[in-house]
Amino acid sequence: IPTAMASEPGEDFAKFLTEVKLIEKRDSVLTSEQQINRLLRPGSKFFNMNPFDVLQLPLTASPAEIKKQYRKLSFLVHPDKNRDDADRAQTAFDAVVTAAKTLEDKEGRDKVMQVIEGAKELTEQKLKEKRKQAKKEGRDRIEEDSPEKYEQFLRGMTAKLFADMEMKKKHLEQREFEERKRKQEEEEAEDAKRKKEEEWKKTWEVLLYLLFSCSWI
């Protein structure tokens, strides 16, 4: 996480963490409607692939914290509680359930962490380049030195990696589907050819029989 460029880095970092906690606290008190809107916002298909983002939890969240937050959010967005917007509530509820199940599974959580760590590395690379350019232009800071802007950038980068991963998965599935379809078509064509050859063989045998029988008349 970047720290502001100032003479007292320790104080700046403490201020930075305080601001991050305020952002998290602000988001944690959203109403049912606001939570549904958050989970169904533009780009939610990819943002919601990050279960920590869905559940609004830190990366260090314990199983107990995950369970507690799941109960809270699942109650807020449950379709029975939001009958006037039941369809959207169901979609939001499904996202919360999926996120909780992913984090409860060690393998699922490990995969998520790999993506997030990759996003952090890319974020630092991008911001390093951005700071270098800003310095050339005579600026001491970039907008991502703000905790909120940094979080937005990191979340965007994380969503991008999840999207890339999903696209690769879909591409692989499509290739596998096409390969299975090709093999099936080849097998069907071979089977049709075999049946046709058998039919010709039977027809030829009948013709030979008739010819042979006629020759004795």
Side-chain angles (χ1 to χ4, degrees):
I1 297 176
T3 57
M5 294 183 177
S7 56
E8 297 294 337
E11 293 180 6
D12 287 337
F13 185 66
K15 181 180 179 182
F16 182 94
L17 291 179
T18 299
E19 291 179 17
V20 169
K21 289 179 181 179
L22 288 174
I23 293 169
E24 294 174 345
K25 183 178 180 180
R26 178 201 65 195
D27 289 344
S28 69
V29 295
L30 297 179
T31 63
S32 292
E33 181 181 2
Q34 290 171 328
Q35 285 289 3
I36 291 172
N37 289 336
R38 178 182 71 86
L39 292 168
L40 272 63
R41 66 194 185 279
S44 60
K45 177 181 178 181
F46 299 118
F47 281 110
N48 290 351
M49 293 181 71
N50 181 354
F52 291 102
D53 195 27
V54 171
L55 298 177
Q56 298 177 301
L57 287 170
L59 302 180
T60 55
S62 67
E65 290 172 326
I66 293 170
K67 189 173 183 179
K68 180 180 179 181
Q69 185 68 353
Y70 164 72
R71 288 177 175 174
K72 173 185 174 182
L73 288 180
S74 62
F75 172 75
L76 284 174
V77 302
H78 198 284
D80 289 345
K81 180 179 172 60
N82 300 274
R83 296 182 184 275
D84 293 338
D85 197 10
D87 290 342
R88 296 178 74 247
Q90 183 64 57
T91 302
F93 179 77
D94 290 343
V96 171
V97 171
T98 299
K101 287 183 177 179
T102 299
L103 293 184
E104 287 174 355
D105 176 64
K106 184 180 184 304
E107 184 178 351
R109 181 166 180 160
D110 287 345
K111 288 181 179 179
V112 168
M113 290 305 300
Q114 288 177 5
V115 176
I116 292 175
E117 290 303 319
K120 285 182 177 180
E121 292 179 6
L122 285 176
T123 293
E124 292 303 327
Q125 291 176 13
K126 295 292 184 182
L127 296 187
K128 183 178 180 180
E129 294 172 2
K130 197 169 182 180
R131 288 191 182 91
K132 187 176 180 179
Q133 182 61 35
K135 188 174 182 181
K136 289 181 179 179
E137 296 172 357
R139 292 183 287 114
D140 294 331
R141 294 175 59 85
I142 58 175
E143 63 178 353
E144 287 78 14
D145 285 329
S146 158
E148 188 163 9
K149 292 294 182 180
Y150 177 83
E151 286 298 311
Q152 289 177 1
F153 193 96
L154 178 57
R155 287 181 180 182
M157 186 62 70
T158 303
K160 181 180 183 303
L161 289 191
F162 273 117
D164 290 344
M165 182 177 68
E166 182 67 10
M167 289 172 65
K168 289 178 181 178
K169 178 183 176 182
K170 293 293 184 184
H171 180 66
L172 179 60
E173 289 176 349
Q174 182 63 27
R175 287 181 59 185
E176 291 176 346
F177 169 76
E178 291 174 353
E179 181 64 17
R180 288 196 301 271
K181 183 179 179 182
R182 183 186 65 79
K183 289 183 178 180
Q184 182 179 356
E185 290 174 346
E186 288 179 351
E187 290 173 358
E188 290 175 350
E190 187 65 27
D191 188 53
K193 180 181 177 182
R194 179 180 55 78
K195 288 181 179 179
K196 189 173 182 180
E197 289 175 348
E198 289 177 353
E199 289 174 359
W200 273 106
K201 183 179 179 180
K202 289 179 180 179
T203 302
W204 182 246
E205 288 175 349
V206 170
L207 288 173
L208 288 176
Y209 174 78
L210 292 174
L211 289 172
F212 181 77
S213 298
C214 290
S215 68
W216 285 92
I217 295 176

